[in-house]
Amino acid sequence: MLLISSPAKAWEEIRLEEDRRKVFTAFVYPMIGLCGLSVFIGSLLAKGWGGPESFQYAMTQCCAVAVSLFGGYFLAAYLINGMRVKMFMMDSDMPLTQQFAGYALVVLFLLQIIIGILPDFNIIGLLLQFYIVYVVWEGASTLMEVEEKDRLRFTIISSILLIACPMLIQFIFNKLTMVLN
């Protein structure tokens, strides 16, 4: 919650974490689970509880969200790390980049949980997801140690990757699900 209310302070605390891989078990995986659960519950509420079709629909939607967030997280982290190396001449540090990407996705995780249960807030959620730009802006200098002259470019590209990668994977997953059905 500190990343939402005070990103600068939160990134300072995150920077002091010794185990960079702690982000997986302590944050990313539980948040993906909560997102999937909220979408599952929201889908059952929307379609009703009557019959196996509603359960199948809820499971499909739950899987789509879980796969998109899981895959989007790792794809975005990989691409951000590559960008660090090629565009900003920094050393490759995948654990650091995964930590950064995992915590930066807090905005998308929280929005997915809310929209999963209350799908009528989808339009507001689309607008609020751009708060990730501010979270990334604060983390770029504090955690990623991006130079001030490169901070804006790093923030914009990283934010686009963090928003677009899960969307792209969910789009592909949904298309494949339709084709395979």
Side-chain angles (χ1 to χ4, degrees), residues 133-162:
V133 174
Y134 177 62
V135 173
V136 170
W137 172 263
E138 291 295 338
S141 63
T142 306
L143 186 68
M144 300 300 279
E145 298 176 353
V146 175
E147 294 179 19
E148 195 62 36
K149 66 180 177 66
D150 296 327
R151 190 173 175 193
L152 180 62
R153 191 166 46 135
F154 180 86
T155 299
I156 291 171
I157 296 170
S158 295
S159 299
I160 290 169
L161 290 173
L162 289 167

Side-chain angles (χ1 to χ4, degrees), residues 94-163:
M94 201 60 189
L96 175 69
T97 308
Q98 288 174 335
Q99 182 184 36
F100 172 74
Y103 285 122
L105 283 170
V106 67
V107 176
L108 294 182
F109 290 148
L110 291 176
L111 287 173
Q112 188 62 58
I113 290 169
I114 293 167
I115 293 170
I117 295 174
L118 305 168
D120 293 336
F121 288 103
N122 200 11
I123 299 296
I124 295 169
L126 287 173
L127 297 174
L128 290 177
Q129 75 182 350
F130 290 103
Y131 185 71
I132 199 170
V133 174
Y134 177 62
V135 173
V136 170
W137 172 263
E138 291 295 338
S141 63
T142 306
L143 186 68
M144 300 300 279
E145 298 176 353
V146 175
E147 294 179 19
E148 195 62 36
K149 66 180 177 66
D150 296 327
R151 190 173 175 193
L152 180 62
R153 191 166 46 135
F154 180 86
T155 299
I156 291 171
I157 296 170
S158 295
S159 299
I160 290 169
L161 290 173
L162 289 167
I163 293 170

Side-chain angles (χ1 to χ4, degrees), residues 38-62 116-117 119:
S38 73
V39 168
F40 181 78
I41 292 169
S43 297
L44 283 178
L45 291 174
K47 289 284 186 178
W49 303 83
E53 295 85 24
S54 61
F55 184 76
Q56 179 185 0
Y57 175 78
M59 283 301 297
T60 304
Q61 294 303 308
C62 173
I117 295 174

